[in-house]
Amino acid sequence: MQELGRTLARLLRPGDLVLLTGELGAGKTTLTRGLGEGLGVRGAVTSPTFVIARVHPSLSGGPALVHVDAYRLGGGLDEMEDLDLDVSLPESVVVVEWGDGKVEELSDDRLHVVIARAVGHEEVLDDVREVSVRGIGARWSAPGALAAL
């Protein structure tokens, strides 16, 4: 998941919104850690569950990474507006875990990443993930926009 995050980071630019969906333990924060590495941001990328949002400034002049965990937010965009994500979005890459149905109105262009853990009885399957990445909007509609993945 971390390697996928590093790869995905090469495609991202300021203003990008990324929604991560997956059950607990699916790898959302691990993917975001890889994004942080790929974007070259400051600070350890850890789950923002209790602080709701963390900002990781760039160390290389690139965009900051704003990492949001919307799991405990149930009020939709109204609650999200209190975080001022719309202010951060133009110059940052904003990644929202558990953002389905809560942040889509922030941007017409977004990536939706769905992570599913493999189901099975073999221990080896615990580390297997199935990931789908769907680009929404004009930013991601160009042919080959997601080809690097």
Side-chain angles (χ1 to χ4, degrees), residues 72-83:
R72 296 185 304 138
L73 301 178
L77 195 57
D78 290 340
E79 264 186 282
M80 295 304 283
E81 283 178 353
D82 291 340
L83 298 175

Side-chain angles (χ1 to χ4, degrees), residues 69-123:
D69 187 329
Y71 183 76
R72 296 185 304 138
L73 301 178
L77 195 57
D78 290 340
E79 264 186 282
M80 295 304 283
E81 283 178 353
D82 291 340
L83 298 175
D84 287 331
L85 293 180
D86 54 336
V87 173
S88 300
L89 188 57
E91 66 272 352
S92 305
V93 170
V94 176
V95 176
V96 183
E97 296 185 27
W98 307 98
D100 286 345
K102 298 177 183 174
V103 298
E104 288 87 346
E105 295 176 33
L106 285 174
S107 178
D108 291 335
D109 300 310
R110 58 193 174 275
L111 280 182
H112 190 174
V113 180
V114 178
I115 306 166
R117 294 172 74 178
V119 178
H121 298 289
E122 296 180 35
E123 194 172 308

Side-chain angles (χ1 to χ4, degrees), residues 1-142:
M1 292 310 299
Q2 206 159 335
E3 181 61 34
L4 176 60
R6 286 189 290 268
T7 300
L8 183 58
R10 292 193 289 263
L11 302 176
L12 299 176
R13 63 183 188 209
D16 283 340
L17 175 63
V18 181
L19 278 69
L20 302 180
T21 301
E23 64 187 40
L24 288 170
K28 297 177 295 297
T29 299
T30 302
L31 186 138
T32 306
R33 189 172 301 121
L35 283 173
E37 289 175 9
L39 292 171
V41 300
R42 185 178 71 210
V45 176
T46 59
S47 177
T49 299
F50 297 105
V51 295
I52 309 299
R54 284 198 170 95
V55 178
H56 298 274
S58 175
L59 294 171
S60 61
L65 172 65
V66 178
H67 183 199
V68 180
D69 187 329
Y71 183 76
R72 296 185 304 138
L73 301 178
L77 195 57
D78 290 340
E79 264 186 282
M80 295 304 283
E81 283 178 353
D82 291 340
L83 298 175
D84 287 331
L85 293 180
D86 54 336
V87 173
S88 300
L89 188 57
E91 66 272 352
S92 305
V93 170
V94 176
V95 176
V96 183
E97 296 185 27
W98 307 98
D100 286 345
K102 298 177 183 174
V103 298
E104 288 87 346
E105 295 176 33
L106 285 174
S107 178
D108 291 335
D109 300 310
R110 58 193 174 275
L111 280 182
H112 190 174
V113 180
V114 178
I115 306 166
R117 294 172 74 178
V119 178
H121 298 289
E122 296 180 35
E123 194 172 308
V124 92
L125 291 179
D126 188 46
D127 290 336
V128 176
R129 303 291 189 270
E130 182 176 306
V131 180
S132 67
V133 180
R134 183 171 49 113
I136 298 168
R139 158 94 168 91
W140 302 104
S141 65

